[in-house]
Amino acid sequence: MDENDLPGKGEPLEHRFLSGGTQNEIYELRRGETRCVIRIPPQNAPADRDEGILREWRIIEALDGTDVPHTEAVARCADTSVLGRTFYLMGFVDGWSPIGRETWPAPFDTDLDARAGLGYQLAEGIALLSKVDWAAKGLHDLGRPDGFHERQVDRWTNFFERIKGRELEGMDVASAWLRAHRPIDYIPGLMHGDYQFANVMFADGAPATLAAVVDWEMGTVGDPKIDLGWMIQSWPEDTMAEAASKASYVDLRGMPGRSQVLAHYAEVSGRQVDDIDYYIILAKWKLAIVLEKGFQRAGDDHKLQAFGPVIVDTMKAAAELAETTDYRS
């Protein structure tokens, strides 16, 4: 850090572990008044995670100067002799994550009007992301936007065949529907790839303010509305119903209804959402396939075993929506 004249030069270095898993480990670094975060693959992670780290770096660096809430891009290091893996440093976000909490933090635990803002802010994050001029930011080679939707079914059905251990009822129906339909329009843009409450941070206190979109492992240039479909695939219209507390891993009671979320996204992004059913079917279909990989490798892992019936229900829901949805694409 000193050799690269980064902030805090000459100050003693303090660090603390924030989180980690099979993909990345995250530590806070503090040097005097300077705080930043290191993101680095664990030593036993596959070699391609180093390339993934550089990919993430390109995205957060490109977000500087945009309206998208994000972590500051501080520095990257591809020299594996330093820490054994490629890593980058990003700015420290002073806020909170919805993950790992039994309830929303105050005041969102009791103030449902304030809680509604969390939902609107979540939608606004990807709406702003969809407006980023990715080509001007040098991300023209980050993905393959041409033929993006034409590749989706083949890509994920081939993936399913590689991990297949059982048939999933409704998969053929949903797959056929997706092959036969396309979005009303397709405007390529920067997308997160796994957008949900788990991958954002909020500023402390009310009103709800999105502080940063984080975890860009799946980021690419494709169709930004895939993020929208992924986000709302289980989002109810009536969020005051008791079922809303169980529709997700967070309590959605008090949040705006699905149609309100869609309207806010459309207003901020400038994109139409009349074809949202296509994206919801695609999201449910893909989610079932992705979760099936973990289920087939569950072994004695009870958490992964529990995905079994969830996967079945999710694929059935994709097929049922496909059977009742038709529009000219």
Side-chain angles (χ1 to χ4, degrees), residues 109-120:
D109 53 343
T110 57
D111 187 342
L112 296 187
D113 289 337
R115 187 185 295 180
L118 298 173
Y120 284 122

Side-chain angles (χ1 to χ4, degrees), residues 83-101:
L83 288 177
R85 301 302 300 254
T86 296
F87 64 91
Y88 65 82
L89 302 180
M90 57 186 174
F92 181 85
V93 177
D94 195 5
W96 57 274
S97 167
I99 295 303
R101 297 176 176 273

Side-chain angles (χ1 to χ4, degrees), residues 63 92 139 157 159 206 211 238 244 271 286:
L63 291 177
F92 181 85
L139 299 179
T157 51
F159 174 86
D238 181 5
R271 294 171 181 253
K286 178 181 172 183

Side-chain angles (χ1 to χ4, degrees), residues 116-169:
L118 298 173
Y120 284 122
Q121 283 286 288
L122 185 68
E124 191 162 313
I126 46 172
L128 293 172
L129 181 65
S130 75
K131 300 174 72 173
V132 172
D133 189 341
W134 49 276
K137 287 289 187 175
L139 299 179
H140 54 280
D141 60 344
L142 188 70
R144 293 189 296 152
D146 292 343
F148 182 83
H149 284 284
E150 288 76 3
R151 293 192 301 271
Q152 292 303 301
V153 175
D154 285 344
R155 175 187 178 187
W156 290 104
T157 51
N158 289 338
F159 174 86
F160 179 77
E161 288 301 321
R162 293 197 298 271
I163 56 96
K164 184 176 178 180
R166 60 176 177 168
E167 298 291 341
L168 291 181
E169 181 182 347

Side-chain angles (χ1 to χ4, degrees), residues 60-315:
I60 66 166
E61 188 178 38
L63 291 177
D64 279 354
T66 72
D67 292 332
V68 181
H70 63 281
T71 56
E72 176 191 4
V74 177
R76 70 171 179 87
C77 179
D79 183 355
T80 57
S81 68
V82 177
L83 288 177
R85 301 302 300 254
T86 296
F87 64 91
Y88 65 82
L89 302 180
M90 57 186 174
F92 181 85
V93 177
D94 195 5
W96 57 274
S97 167
I99 295 303
R101 297 176 176 273
E102 294 185 1
T103 62
W104 294 107
F108 309 108
D109 53 343
T110 57
D111 187 342
L112 296 187
D113 289 337
R115 187 185 295 180
L118 298 173
Y120 284 122
Q121 283 286 288
L122 185 68
E124 191 162 313
I126 46 172
L128 293 172
L129 181 65
S130 75
K131 300 174 72 173
V132 172
D133 189 341
W134 49 276
K137 287 289 187 175
L139 299 179
H140 54 280
D141 60 344
L142 188 70
R144 293 189 296 152
D146 292 343
F148 182 83
H149 284 284
E150 288 76 3
R151 293 192 301 271
Q152 292 303 301
V153 175
D154 285 344
R155 175 187 178 187
W156 290 104
T157 51
N158 289 338
F159 174 86
F160 179 77
E161 288 301 321
R162 293 197 298 271
I163 56 96
K164 184 176 178 180
R166 60 176 177 168
E167 298 291 341
L168 291 181
E169 181 182 347
M171 182 170 176
D172 290 345
V173 171
S175 299
W177 190 94
L178 289 168
R179 289 187 189 279
H181 295 79
R182 293 289 182 271
I184 292 175
D185 58 6
Y186 165 43
I187 306 170
L190 189 58
M191 53 178 284
H192 182 275
D194 187 19
Y195 195 74
Q196 53 181 308
F197 274 118
N199 289 326
V200 299
M201 294 186 66
F202 290 95
D204 293 321
T209 303
L210 190 66
V213 180
V214 296
D215 295 352
W216 292 94
E217 292 101 325
M218 304 296 291
T220 191
V221 174
D223 189 337
K225 284 198 293 186
I226 284 183
D227 284 336
L228 179 62
W230 194 258
M231 169 190 157
I232 67 163
Q233 60 180 294
S234 298
W235 200 290
E237 181 61 39
D238 181 5
T239 57
M240 290 309 295
E242 182 64 27
S245 66
K246 303 174 183 178
S248 174
Y249 52 85
V250 295
D251 186 353
L252 294 178
R253 285 177 296 181
M255 296 284 178
R258 178 186 285 185
S259 59
Q260 293 173 299
V261 170
L262 290 172
H264 188 66
Y265 176 90
E267 179 183 2
V268 176
S269 69
R271 294 171 181 253
Q272 61 81 20
V273 294
D274 295 337
D275 53 3
I276 191 60
D277 281 349
Y278 169 89
Y279 294 93
I280 294 174
I281 292 167
L282 178 61
K284 289 181 178 294
W285 175 85
K286 178 181 172 183
L287 178 61
I289 293 172
V290 170
L291 292 179
E292 183 70 5
K293 178 181 179 180
F295 176 72
Q296 290 299 329
R297 298 181 178 181
D300 296 329
D301 188 324
H302 297 299
K303 183 177 180 181
L304 292 178
Q305 289 175 358
F307 283 145
V310 175
I311 294 165
V312 172
D313 290 344
T314 302
M315 187 60 80

